[in-house]
Amino acid sequence: MKKNPLIPRIFLPGLILVLAACSDHITGNNDSDSDGTGSVLESFNSEVASQGTVAIDLGDAVGLIGLDIGPLPHDSTGTLALNARIIVFADTAVQAHPFKSGGLDIGTVTLTHNGQTLTFYQHTVREGGVVYELLPKPEKGVKPTPVAFAAGSPVMLTVSGTASFPAQSLEITPSSVLSISNLENGAALPSGSDLTVSWTGSASDSLVLRILPAPPAPGTQPCDSAFAKGGPGGKGPKDGPGGKGGPGGKGGPGGPGGKGPKPLFEIKLSAAAGSYTLASADLTTLLGSFNGSAVIVDLHQRSLSDITSSAGMLKVLQSVHDGVLLKK
């Protein structure tokens, strides 16, 4: 089924999506850290933090690899994209979450998947140390080129190595993907009836279903008071200063580390593949709790596995999702 899916908070950091100008248009947004030096580390912290799915225990791991799989923005073909981040801990013992600094310089890192090869960006974070990320920061003037994901195709990471971490190759087999199977992006929410969300492709029972208010794009007229931007400053007298503008609104449900809107509804699901129904009365109450014109229905799953490197065991945290925007 073709749909124009959204990419909610956990997936493809830096490609956060919002509802523009109270219309049907879906657009992207930059990562929240304007100088681009701390957001990757914050993204890792957000990813490791438990969100009612898998409580992440790094144990005696020497590093962490994050894989994000979800639909591309502005796409009606159902194409999935892959993003990745890597940190190799600088301490002799594993760093405890939340990470207080970046990790080791491990040289050049490349990712090969489904005939595509990309080199990771090495970010020196303000707290010290480095973190590797596959996609660049949009505000740095480089247009991100997402890796088209192919189910069943392995992900190969090649590390050139340094004195701190030997050169090597690591192979990861990604988890199954999720797909919301019964809702079309941009469709109207049911009026006076239940809302059923059906899905396929889940590999385990660590699913979270969320319904969030869809925020306006930056610089556009807000649809809801929860995202209202401050008005322009008032004009003072000729020789006096103008009045101050109102407070800015909160950001949308963006990439890891960004603070998005509070979910209107959130539940942990235990079915690997199936459906969930929100009763009509509960849906009416939910929609009456905000003034926006649309909501995001977001289905999200995380899984944790180990991979052995020549320097020790690394944790692999895989996040997959699907999402649609529904109009009130």
Side-chain angles (χ1 to χ4, degrees), residues 14-284:
L15 295 179
I16 50 185
L17 301 187
V18 290
L19 178 65
C22 298
S23 70
D24 301 342
H25 178 62
I26 305 302
T27 184
N29 188 21
N30 294 346
D31 195 276
S32 59
D33 192 332
S34 60
D35 65 9
T37 59
S39 59
V40 182
L41 189 60
E42 294 161 7
S43 296
F44 260 124
N45 280 325
S46 177
E47 220 177 326
V48 174
S50 174
Q51 297 180 15
T53 54
V54 179
I56 302 303
D57 180 6
L58 296 175
D60 57 355
V62 299
L64 176 65
I65 300 171
L67 294 181
D68 303 326
I69 301 169
L72 283 167
H74 309 293
D75 183 81
S76 60
T77 65
T79 301
L80 297 175
L82 170 70
N83 190 20
R85 292 188 297 279
I86 306 171
I87 181 172
V88 174
F89 307 132
D91 297 339
T92 53
V94 65
Q95 293 187 7
H97 166 72
F99 301 132
K100 302 297 185 183
S101 65
L104 295 172
D105 180 348
I106 59 175
T108 300
V109 182
T110 59
L111 179 146
T112 300
H113 173 73
N114 190 32
Q116 307 158 95
T117 299
L118 280 82
T119 301
F120 282 76
Y121 289 83
Q122 184 187 88
H123 299 283
T124 301
V125 299
R126 63 167 64 93
E127 299 86 350
V130 300
V131 178
Y132 292 81
E133 187 173 39
L134 191 60
L135 297 183
K137 296 289 183 297
E139 67 268 23
K140 293 302 181 183
V142 181
K143 183 178 180 180
T145 305
V147 177
F149 175 73
S153 178
V155 173
M156 182 69 70
L157 300 180
T158 302
V159 182
S160 68
T162 62
S164 304
F165 192 83
Q168 58 197 285
S169 294
L170 305 169
E171 183 174 322
I172 303 168
T173 301
S175 303
S176 298
V177 297
L178 285 173
S179 178
I180 296 176
S181 57
N182 70 320
L183 300 174
E184 292 286 347
N185 192 68
L189 283 158
S191 177
S193 60
D194 300 343
L195 172 64
T196 297
V197 182
S198 300
W199 63 89
T200 60
S202 174
S204 68
D205 62 356
S206 60
L207 288 165
V208 170
L209 173 66
R210 300 185 305 155
I211 300 177
L212 306 103
T220 63
Q221 182 65 30
C223 306
D224 181 76
S225 59
F227 298 99
K229 291 179 175 291
K235 292 184 178 180
K238 185 174 182 180
D239 296 327
K244 293 183 178 180
K250 294 181 179 180
K259 292 184 178 179
K262 181 179 179 181
L264 302 168
F265 176 82
E266 185 172 21
I267 187 171
K268 181 179 179 181
L269 303 169
S270 58
S275 64
Y276 179 84
T277 297
L278 184 65
S280 173
D282 294 331
L283 179 61
T284 299

